[in-house]
Amino acid sequence: MALITAPLIVYCGIALAVTTFVTVVCYAIYTHREHKRYSHVPSPKRQSFFLGHIPTLKKYDDSGRTLMDLFRDWHAECGPILIIFLMHRPIVFSAHPDVAKEVMVTGNHTKPPKAYRSFQFLFGSRYMGYGLISEIDHSQWTRKRNALNPAFNRKFLMEFMSQFNESCDVLLDFMSNKTDQTTQFKMLDLFERLTMDIIAKVAFDIDLGAVCDANQPLSKAISSTFNAVAHLIRNPHDQINPFAASFRKQVRAACELLRNTGNKCVEERIQAINSGSTPRQDILTYIIKSTNEDDDIQVQIEEMVDQFVTIFIAGMETTANQLSFALIEICKHPEVLARIRKEVDCILQSKNHVTFEDLNSLQYLGQVLKETLRLYPPVFAATRILSNDVTYLGYHLPAGTEVTVNTFQMCRMEEYYENALQFDPDRFAPDRERPMFTYFPFSLGPRVCIGQHLSQMEAKVVMAKLLYEFDFKLVPGQSFELLERATLKPKDGVMVTIRPRDRVAAC
Ligand code: HEM
């Protein structure tokens, strides 16, 4: 027996070694071919043949700098078009408006599967699945988008106004007994909980009560999944790394929590409809109507849950980041605050809520919110896969190339914005011209954000009410650096103290 086993082990060992060797050689040949195919495109120095630019991404992270710093340095070195490799995967990056226009608007390019894989599934667990953001099949996406568009029309948005006000009032109450100027608030957390309450109510008719609950598990689940998406770009091997098993388990549990919440909500609504009650006409109603009736019911439910998770996350995270960045800049610029208050006081001194009609009068506040997104776009870039060969700025790129256009970078370039790093809401005054195809915080082209108007109405209401009620002071010693975790957010979370405002009669 031992005599038979020994050669078998040797043969298996040799077979394994040969297979590994052949795989490594094939992979090396493939990677080399990809490097050669794009050798005409400027590229920052690669630190590793196999890992490509991944070690540089990690080096920047470890030294406390962000992807934003890295791309600024890379574009300074290589110009407006450059290529990097994530292992064997090439991605072209551009900070030029002509490229942005072709990639996003005039060209007929779609979302690349590889870039959205982590949004569909995380470590094998379904996450956003094939919801509106991560659906990459164009015809499926068209069906889903057409079905959900009516839920974001003007009539619906007008009805959301009272909820924006109500949820914001809960936050004001929560903060108002801590106006001692020593209690510190982490505004990013509060904004996340507020925007979560709002989207849960207006989209799905759920009362979460997250504002008053610092340990809201859904909030933790969302940050866990976003961390994982960002982590996988720098550490793709953690998909299989045995030492990352507990990290994977924790992320899977977060996905499950989000999806179970969605599942429960969808099934309750379907039951209510089946039992003859007239459902509330909200976003969930449209999600339920949007599925393909020819599909199996379980497939339909999964698709509804995909949309639930997508809208829930997209509906809170980015708006909370925008509000947080806006508050930093408002606190740093008393002249901006004074101008906002002139508008806000006129509206709120006679009543305690902002109406749909009032939104137009908050013109300057709107400019402040737009300027915030210029300097701090929570989604700082967009990626497409070329459906045909294209030549950008003299560089020929074959069909199938992934191209990322970077609004963050362009919005901070002197070529396009004078004193680009200065916070100046007057750039968005109605009579001012701005460079085209540089500023696209809500993306561009057919896959533009569906929640753009909803989010900006909500942001106006929240900011107006907070600034009417309180004086904010930034806690000294915090950094205002950026943190990239799938979206851009303020690293230290915007720590403030507050006091009730000394109000003077306005208007
Ligand atoms: C300041 C707030 C917001 C910003 C900056 C923002 C930004 C964006 C961007 C850049 C995209 C394109 C993403 C991509 O290319 O993969 C996008 C898509 C999307 N956003 Fe937003 N968003 C915001 C608020 C919202 C809100 C409040 C909702 C929902 C209520 C929402 C729902 C969506 C959805 C469903 C998509 C996918 C659209 C499609 O492909 O058809 N967003 N958003």
Side-chain angles (χ1 to χ4, degrees):
M1 182 68 181
L3 283 178
I4 300 171
T5 315
L8 195 67
I9 292 174
V10 173
Y11 286 138
C12 287
I14 292 172
L16 188 69
V18 170
T19 313
T20 310
F21 178 75
V22 171
T23 310
V24 170
V25 169
C26 290
Y27 185 68
I29 292 170
Y30 178 74
T31 305
H32 176 68
R33 264 191 43 201
E34 286 300 275
H35 290 167
K36 268 194 83 180
R37 205 151 75 102
Y38 291 98
S39 58
H40 59 294
V41 184
S43 180
K45 191 171 163 15
R46 234 184 298 118
Q47 281 199 322
S48 152
F49 175 82
F50 284 110
L51 294 177
H53 292 84
I54 289 176
T56 319
L57 301 184
K58 291 179 68 158
K59 199 173 94 190
Y60 264 65
D61 258 5
D62 296 345
S63 64
R65 286 171 295 171
T66 62
L67 278 188
M68 310 302 120
D69 300 319
L70 180 57
F71 280 104
R72 184 202 54 223
D73 295 352
W74 275 345
H75 279 298
E77 181 192 337
C78 301
I81 246 183
L82 59 89
I83 190 160
I84 67 162
F85 288 84
L86 299 181
M87 301 181 73
H88 58 277
R89 175 180 159 199
I91 310 180
V92 170
F93 281 83
S94 166
H96 196 285
D98 294 351
V99 180
K101 181 179 172 190
E102 207 284 337
V103 169
M104 304 298 290
V105 185
T106 53
N108 194 15
H109 313 301
T110 53
K111 286 191 170 183
K114 283 180 191 157
Y116 285 87
R117 207 162 279 157
S118 306
F119 288 99
Q120 293 170 336
F121 290 84
L122 271 172
F123 304 127
S125 265
R126 194 157 173 156
Y127 174 36
M128 296 190 193
Y130 304 96
L132 220 43
I133 290 182
S134 47
E135 176 58 85
I136 42 140
D137 178 311
H138 194 70
S139 62
Q140 288 290 342
W141 168 78
T142 308
R143 169 179 67 78
K144 293 175 185 178
R145 177 80 186 219
N146 287 342
L148 288 193
N149 270 337
F152 292 86
N153 73 19
R154 189 184 145 91
K155 179 180 148 282
F156 271 88
L157 297 183
M158 283 169 80
E159 283 170 16
F160 294 162
M161 285 301 290
S162 56
Q163 193 58 50
F164 297 158
N165 279 279
E166 254 175 58
S167 297
C168 191
D169 289 343
V170 176
L171 176 66
L172 295 180
D173 274 357
F174 178 78
M175 296 173 79
S176 62
N177 50 13
K178 293 167 192 124
T179 52
D180 48 24
Q181 301 181 59
T182 51
T183 306
Q184 296 188 5
F185 292 102
K186 191 173 187 177
M187 290 309 294
L188 177 63
D189 282 358
L190 284 182
F191 285 138
E192 280 175 358
R193 280 148 52 192
L194 172 64
T195 52
M196 185 182 273
D197 275 349
I198 291 177
I199 196 68
K201 189 69 190 169
V202 300
F204 314 120
D205 198 18
I206 306 177
D207 292 299
L208 274 185
V211 160
C212 304
D213 177 6
N215 295 316
Q216 170 49 248
L218 290 170
S219 176
K220 293 206 164 68
I222 293 173
S223 53
S224 164
T225 54
F226 270 40
N227 280 345
V229 169
H231 179 90
L232 274 174
I233 296 174
R234 291 138 174 109
N235 306 278
H237 54 280
D238 277 352
Q239 291 275 14
I240 48 167
N241 176 4
F243 297 106
S246 71
F247 172 63
R248 289 196 292 270
K249 193 172 160 200
Q250 175 226 321
V251 175
R252 281 194 210 106
C255 292
E256 265 166 43
L257 176 66
L258 288 164
R259 291 193 72 84
N260 288 344
T261 310
N263 205 298
K264 186 165 170 277
C265 177
V266 162
E267 293 203 328
E268 281 175 5
R269 180 65 66 87
I270 292 176
Q271 263 174 24
I273 296 170
N274 290 346
S275 65
S277 58
T278 317
R280 204 177 87 133
Q281 289 293 302
D282 56 13
I283 295 173
L284 183 57
T285 309
Y286 283 87
I287 288 179
I288 289 173
K289 280 198 280 190
S290 71
T291 53
N292 187 348
E293 283 179 2
D294 295 338
D295 285 339
D296 181 79
I297 183 68
Q298 210 42 48
V299 173
Q300 290 187 45
I301 301 262
E302 285 295 305
E303 187 181 314
M304 292 173 204
V305 177
D306 288 347
Q307 299 294 29
F308 175 97
V309 175
T310 300
I311 299 285
F312 186 58
I313 295 178
M316 50 84 58
E317 162 83 20
T318 41
T319 316
N321 297 357
Q322 179 193 20
L323 286 165
S324 306
F325 284 124
L327 189 61
I328 296 176
E329 291 297 346
I330 292 167
C331 289
K332 284 183 175 176
H333 293 90
E335 71 291 356
V336 170
L337 173 63
R339 283 177 68 182
I340 297 175
R341 280 196 165 147
K342 231 174 155 179
E343 286 180 352
V344 167
D345 289 356
C346 271
I347 290 166
L348 285 173
Q349 71 180 354
S350 55
K351 56 188 190 317
N352 67 355
H353 62 279
V354 181
T355 64
F356 184 74
E357 292 68 36
D358 292 331
L359 293 174
N360 274 343
S361 315
L362 294 169
Q363 160 69 30
Y364 185 71
L365 177 55
Q367 290 174 211
V368 169
L369 292 170
K370 285 180 180 150
E371 175 69 346
T372 303
L373 291 178
R374 183 185 69 86
L375 281 175
Y376 313 101
V379 185
F380 45 88
T383 307
R384 295 290 180 266
I385 186 164
L386 298 184
S387 52
N388 49 282
D389 289 14
V390 188
T391 299
Y392 294 127
L393 314 177
Y395 298 107
H396 180 82
L397 301 176
T401 305
E402 281 181 56
V403 183
T404 297
V405 286
N406 191 329
T407 181
F408 179 94
Q409 198 62 38
M410 285 188 279
C411 283
R412 288 175 174 235
M413 287 165 71
E414 288 294 320
E415 279 108 301
Y416 309 119
Y417 295 90
E418 210 181 320
N419 298 323
L421 298 184
Q422 203 173 303
F423 186 79
D424 175 12
D426 282 328
R427 292 179 208 275
F428 288 90
D431 56 345
R432 287 275 290 270
E433 284 197 1
R434 285 171 298 282
M436 302 273 282
F437 304 107
T438 53
Y439 175 84
F440 43 93
F442 295 99
S443 192
L444 282 173
R447 302 224 41 177
V448 70
C449 174
I450 201 170
Q452 172 172 357
H453 300 299
L454 186 158
S455 73
Q456 296 315 284
M457 288 164 61
E458 174 185 357
K460 266 191 182 175
V461 173
V462 172
M463 212 31 112
K465 293 190 94 162
L466 280 176
L467 296 177
Y468 183 71
E469 214 60 43
F470 303 124
D471 277 326
F472 288 84
K473 196 166 166 224
L474 293 168
V475 173
Q478 63 186 308
S479 91
F480 298 108
E481 286 167 23
L482 306 176
L483 179 68
E484 182 266 317
R485 287 291 173 270
T487 60
L488 265 194
K489 48 181 65 192
K491 192 174 189 176
D492 283 358
V494 196
M495 302 303 298
V496 299
T497 55
I498 58 169
R499 60 171 191 171
R501 210 184 128 201
D502 302 325
R503 234 170 261 137
V504 286
C507 304

